[in-house]
Amino acid sequence: MQQQLQTMLALQDKINTLVNENWRAQKFPWYRAIWVESAELLDHYGWKWWKKQQPELDQVKLELVDIWHFGLSLELQQGSPETVAMHMQKELEAAQRSPGDFRSNLEAFTLNTLASKQFDLVGFAQLLADVEMTFDELYQRYVGKNVLNRFRQDHGYKDGTYVKTWQGREDNEHLAEICARLDTAATDYSEQLYRALAGRYTESTATLV
């Protein structure tokens, strides 16, 4: 877990720096982003008592990964990836949880985040338990989304030159296929993933010329 946390924190630091070199000094309202993502998350889980709804678990997990991005950013305000990872591991290991009422736990997590303007790591761990999402799955999904975000930035996402659809499929579909073929336990997993995306993108966009 320690290595995975360090990897994710380092990746988050890198993508934040890519967007804004002085992101720590800016003190962006990450807690507000978590609040908004939590509302989107609840929509995917379902809360309307006047209609039949089933939790869209894959979308729920994607939203949890988005929240994790913002949570890591808040945690990184406290220090280096190595130092923060040690602190986070202790909290997560002490927060072993069993599944509970997801809606109520999400509301408690969001309330704690808004009240403290910090990341409620223990509350987040409870949400993972509620939807039976392991830490390994969180790691795989996070690294994939983070690498894709960085890849998009590196290939013209800001100026509108990035081509999101390759060979009739969106980039996130290619991402899922590549992730399934790689060893997520490899220390260079994120680098392997980036190279594989770059290879496919170069090949696919070359055929458009």
Side-chain angles (χ1 to χ4, degrees):
M1 179 185 287
Q2 179 65 202
Q3 184 57 55
Q4 290 174 320
L5 282 168
Q6 285 190 31
T7 296
M8 289 188 286
L9 286 161
L11 287 172
Q12 191 62 45
D13 190 13
K14 183 178 292 187
I15 191 69
N16 287 356
T17 302
L18 184 63
V19 174
N20 187 309
E21 289 186 2
N22 300 310
W23 71 270
R24 280 184 174 81
Q26 300 301 314
K27 299 190 182 300
F28 295 121
W30 306 104
Y31 72 91
R32 189 174 297 149
I34 291 174
W35 166 39
V36 174
E37 292 289 348
S38 293
E40 294 178 7
L41 171 56
L42 187 57
D43 264 341
H44 287 301
Y45 191 83
W47 61 274
K48 298 174 182 178
W49 59 88
W50 59 87
K51 62 182 290 189
K52 181 176 176 58
Q53 289 185 297
Q54 291 293 331
E56 302 169 352
L57 283 181
D58 194 59
Q59 287 298 318
V60 166
K61 290 179 177 181
L62 287 174
E63 294 293 346
L64 284 170
V65 169
D66 285 344
I67 289 173
W68 185 243
H69 277 76
F70 299 125
L72 292 177
S73 298
L74 276 171
E75 293 289 337
L76 280 165
Q77 297 281 176
Q78 312 304 318
S80 68
E82 295 77 16
T83 302
V84 173
M86 291 177 62
H87 167 74
M88 291 181 72
Q89 182 176 3
K90 289 179 181 177
E91 276 202 79
L92 287 169
E93 288 178 344
Q96 298 297 324
R97 302 291 175 126
S98 55
D101 184 333
F102 182 80
R103 296 181 186 88
S104 295
N105 290 332
L106 178 60
E107 289 168 354
F109 164 78
T110 308
L111 180 61
N112 289 339
T113 297
L114 284 172
S116 66
K117 297 186 178 180
Q118 298 298 321
F119 185 46
D120 179 10
L121 183 57
V122 173
F124 185 82
Q126 178 62 61
L127 296 178
L128 294 181
D130 291 343
V131 297
E132 299 182 345
M133 186 174 181
T134 66
F135 187 79
D136 284 342
E137 184 180 357
L138 173 66
Y139 173 74
Q140 179 180 347
R141 284 176 175 267
Y142 169 83
V143 173
K145 183 65 181 293
N146 181 279
V147 169
L148 180 59
N149 286 344
R150 179 160 54 93
F151 182 82
R152 287 170 171 173
Q153 290 288 330
D154 289 345
H155 291 80
Y157 205 57
K158 274 188 176 180
D159 60 25
T161 59
Y162 177 69
V163 180
K164 193 173 182 180
T165 301
W166 325 336
Q167 299 175 346
R169 292 185 294 164
E170 287 195 1
D171 54 8
N172 55 7
E173 295 180 70
H174 289 283
L175 174 71
E177 187 176 296
I178 293 170
C179 286
R181 296 177 178 177
L182 296 178
D183 178 10
T184 59
T187 56
D188 64 341
Y189 171 55
S190 63
E191 288 81 4
Q192 288 185 40
L193 186 51
Y194 190 99
R195 288 195 298 269
L197 279 172
R200 283 200 183 193
Y201 185 72
T202 300
E203 179 183 340
S204 299
T205 53
T207 63
L208 299 177
V209 178

